[in-house]
Amino acid sequence: MTALTAVSLSDQGIQTGARIFANLQTPHLVEHAVANGEGKLAKHGPLVVETGKHTGRSAKDKFIVRDAETESTVWWGKVNVPMTPEHFAALKADFLQALGQKDKLYVADLFGGSQPEYRVNVRVINELAWHNLFIRTLLVRPTAAELEGFAPEYTIIDLPSFRADPERHGCRSETVIAVNLSEKLILIGGTAYAGEMKKSVFGILNYLLPTKGVMPMHCSANIGADGRTAVFFGLSGTGKTTLSADASRTLIGDDEHGWSDTAVFNFEGGCYAKMIRLSPEAEPEIYATTQMFGTVLENVVMNPETRELDFDDNSLAENSRGAYPIEFIPNTSEKNLGPVPANVVMLTADAFGVLPPIARLTPDQAMYHFLSGYTAKVAGTEIGVTEPEATFSTCFGAPFMPRHPSIYGNLLKERIAKGGVQCWLLNTGWTGGKYGTGSRMPIKATRALLNAALDGSLNDAEFRKDPNFGFDVPVSVPGVDAGILDPRSTWADKDEYDRTAQKLVQLFVDNFAQFEAHVDESVRKAAPQAA
């Protein structure tokens, strides 16, 4: 049994007769997880676990308590759904009762955020050892000296065995993620998907940091040999992890960051990568982590006899994941941070085949596209569904943004203007036609265009104005086929391109209507032009 430092659970009003295992190191947590029957070791040392029916976030089961603190500060709607203080009080009482009945609990004291001035102290209480290992891996781990005086500011209690009562607790199902920003308490029950804890801390920082003038971002970030930082916004499938994992650049982090006056800093101390169809050829650095002790693999299929892993088998989940400390990736930032950005790259996979492979954005256009958060999914597998589907996720991370999107958008615009930051829209989607007719943008061309943007050489190129979106598009770039730089020229049917482009323009305009009252006239004028 290990003792908590500085602040005990009873100091927090949590009474339990459970044995408390506090701030265990990785080897001890792995031993506990195996001994408890929570997981098994694979051939080369990673811990392999299954999360059951929940293999991803339960977005519709997340609630924020609506009270005097949050009434006017949270952007209420489909993403941020309210829970009454009374329902939360009942849920909290039942959670504390459930904690009191456990025979063992695992507690980790951790930091959310790598820049000391802006980090938050988070205590996580788990019934599963592997959950405690996961969150210890994903957040920033304090030193022994920092632990001695650690006082938790926010507490997360995660009990997969808990079953919520929709009538008593004001939720939707037996699964619940309830966030109380006034009490600084998050309760997670009815799901074993560990990513709920990680994203809960992201949500806390997304709520707190804007009031301190810090821009929270759902992005990856790296540093070039010239010491210049780039951040990469993008939804799933646009290339955020792939393009930021560049052996010639230093990785700051792959998912969550803050942009302060002095730095871009990782919120986390680990990475949480998709594992399905992972290959040593395409992603060697990530693949190497699957052969390391200390990595946690969720829903990756393993041969029970040989303990060999099969990353192509999606029978447990399409969203199989691996959690590992960031230092498992070579060439990472020593302090988990870097200089303020010189370049902001917004990634989209345009399945309509309309957007150019790269475009230069003004600060107003950057804010417009940041608030839009556009990408496009390919046509579905249902019979008769042949059209791409536009997806707009504001700030490239709507599910994790508690405040109104304009707050994050204005912060971005201010920081771009203040630092003279160059902004780019990079389309990793389709060229020569929409999905089903055209082809995927060549990765070689994408990397060449990205490198030219980041090393500054693209600034010397000749640009043209895109007639639909109004941003600057390079006319020619060394090493890149000039044909793909003008998407209309790649379509066999130019009239069909014009019709498709206007359809996409209208989708942008319709989506942005929700933000028009919250942005400056200059941002409204940055909208694409409908014919």
Side-chain angles (χ1 to χ4, degrees):
M1 182 173 173
T2 50
L4 280 170
T5 56
V7 179
S8 68
L9 292 187
S10 59
D11 291 334
Q12 295 183 274
I14 298 171
Q15 304 300 327
T16 178
R19 291 188 68 195
I20 307 299
F21 296 96
N23 296 312
L24 296 186
Q25 301 289 309
T26 295
H28 302 288
L29 286 169
V30 171
E31 287 174 353
H32 275 260
V34 172
N36 295 344
E38 299 170 11
K40 295 179 178 179
L41 289 179
K43 183 175 181 180
H44 297 287
L47 179 69
V48 180
V49 298
E50 295 181 16
T51 63
K53 70 174 184 177
H54 293 282
T55 59
R57 290 184 308 104
S58 299
K60 293 182 179 178
D61 293 307
K62 179 192 162 196
F63 303 87
I64 299 177
V65 176
R66 190 169 190 161
D67 56 17
E69 159 75 20
T70 58
E71 176 65 44
S72 60
T73 55
V74 168
W75 183 42
W76 302 106
K78 290 182 180 179
V79 171
N80 298 309
V81 179
M83 174 180 278
T84 67
E86 293 75 21
H87 279 134
F88 184 85
L91 181 67
K92 178 181 174 181
D94 292 347
F95 255 77
L96 293 181
Q97 182 179 19
L99 275 182
Q101 296 170 350
K102 301 298 175 186
D103 58 357
K104 65 175 75 168
L105 290 170
Y106 299 89
V107 181
D109 291 328
L110 301 158
F111 296 133
S114 298
Q115 187 169 4
E117 307 96 288
Y118 301 114
R119 68 190 181 197
V120 62
N121 293 4
V122 181
R123 170 167 287 175
V124 187
I125 303 169
N126 301 108
E127 62 178 323
L128 298 177
W130 85 259
H131 267 193
N132 207 242
L133 173 60
F134 172 93
I135 199 62
R136 186 180 179 278
T137 301
L138 263 294
L139 293 188
V140 179
R141 298 165 285 283
T143 64
E146 288 170 333
L147 274 177
E148 286 183 12
F150 189 97
E153 297 170 78
Y154 287 79
T155 300
I156 298 172
I157 304 174
D158 191 338
L159 302 177
S161 65
F162 186 89
R163 295 293 177 265
D165 179 343
E167 186 173 344
R168 174 170 164 76
H169 301 136
C171 52
R172 191 185 69 105
S173 70
E174 290 186 337
T175 300
V176 66
I177 302 97
V179 180
N180 191 318
L181 292 165
S182 300
E183 294 189 26
K184 300 182 178 180
L185 177 63
I186 297 173
L187 305 174
I188 303 171
T191 172
Y193 179 67
E196 298 286 9
M197 293 182 285
K198 158 190 156 70
K199 288 304 184 186
S200 292
V201 177
F202 189 33
I204 291 171
L205 289 164
N206 285 338
Y207 182 75
L208 295 176
L209 292 182
T211 63
K212 300 176 181 180
V214 176
M215 170 73 186
M217 304 178 290
H218 186 212
C219 69
S220 56
N222 63 23
I223 312 167
D226 56 6
R228 288 154 55 91
T229 298
V231 298
F232 300 81
F233 292 103
L235 301 174
S236 180
T238 58
K240 180 160 56 86
T241 299
T242 301
L243 290 172
S244 64
D246 184 330
S248 68
R249 298 175 65 86
T250 301
L251 182 69
I252 300 174
D254 76 329
D255 197 37
E256 302 169 5
H257 296 82
W259 180 349
S260 71
D261 286 337
T262 57
V264 167
F265 62 97
N266 196 344
F267 287 170
E268 303 180 302
C271 299
Y272 193 36
K274 287 186 177 180
M275 292 286 137
I276 195 68
R277 291 176 285 279
L278 184 70
S279 83
E281 294 78 27
E283 297 177 277
E285 293 89 357
I286 296 175
Y287 188 87
T289 69
T290 67
Q291 301 186 355
M292 297 181 185
F293 179 81
T295 292
V296 181
L297 298 176
E298 290 180 327
N299 303 314
V300 173
V301 174
M302 179 177 69
N303 184 305
E305 300 301 322
T306 65
R307 303 295 175 97
E308 295 274 1
L309 301 168
D310 185 350
F311 295 106
D312 294 323
D313 189 333
N314 66 351
S315 59
L316 291 176
E318 182 70 22
N319 187 38
S320 57
R321 293 267 181 171
Y324 48 87
I326 194 167
E327 58 265 26
F328 280 14
I329 297 289
N331 200 29
T332 52
S333 168
E334 184 182 352
K335 293 186 177 180
N336 239 6
L337 49 77
V340 295
N343 287 280
V344 166
V345 182
M346 298 183 191
L347 301 169
T348 183
D350 177 28
F352 289 92
V354 165
L355 294 178
I358 196 166
R360 185 173 63 187
L361 306 177
T362 66
D364 288 317
Q365 289 169 339
M367 183 174 176
Y368 184 94
H369 285 275
F370 179 69
L371 288 176
S372 297
Y374 166 72
T375 193
K377 297 176 183 175
V378 298
T381 54
E382 297 175 33
I383 295 173
V385 180
T386 58
E387 288 292 310
E389 178 186 337
T391 300
F392 294 95
S393 181
T394 183
C395 307
F396 294 98
F400 321 117
M401 304 295 174
R403 296 183 183 271
H404 192 278
S406 62
I407 290 175
Y408 306 106
N410 281 316
L411 264 172
L412 180 69
K413 183 182 171 184
E414 289 165 14
R415 293 217 162 272
I416 288 169
K418 186 176 180 180
V421 181
Q422 194 62 263
C423 299
W424 309 92
L425 184 69
L426 194 70
N427 174 23
T428 60
W430 273 256
T431 182
K434 59 188 177 186
Y435 171 80
T437 304
S439 56
R440 195 74 190 254
M441 200 72 71
I443 185 66
K444 186 177 178 182
T446 298
R447 283 208 176 273
L449 291 168
L450 177 61
N451 290 338
L454 299 186
D455 68 21
S457 61
L458 194 54
N459 291 324
D460 299 326
E462 179 189 349
F463 286 84
R464 65 174 178 85
K465 289 280 184 194
D466 184 275
N468 297 297
F469 284 83
F471 40 47
D472 291 338
V473 181
V475 175
S476 65
V477 177
V480 177
D481 176 8
I484 69 167
L485 294 173
D486 180 3
R488 188 175 187 270
S489 72
T490 67
W491 283 53
D493 186 336
K494 305 297 189 283
D495 290 338
E496 177 64 14
Y497 171 85
D498 292 337
R499 286 190 293 272
T500 306
Q502 279 302 303
K503 176 181 178 181
L504 182 58
V505 164
Q506 194 60 51
L507 289 171
F508 266 87
V509 171
D510 292 346
N511 173 72
F512 202 81
Q514 61 185 311
F515 305 125
E516 285 188 344
H518 302 278
V519 299
D520 296 338
E521 176 67 16
S522 58
V523 177
R524 290 195 288 271
K525 286 183 176 178
Q529 299 303 306

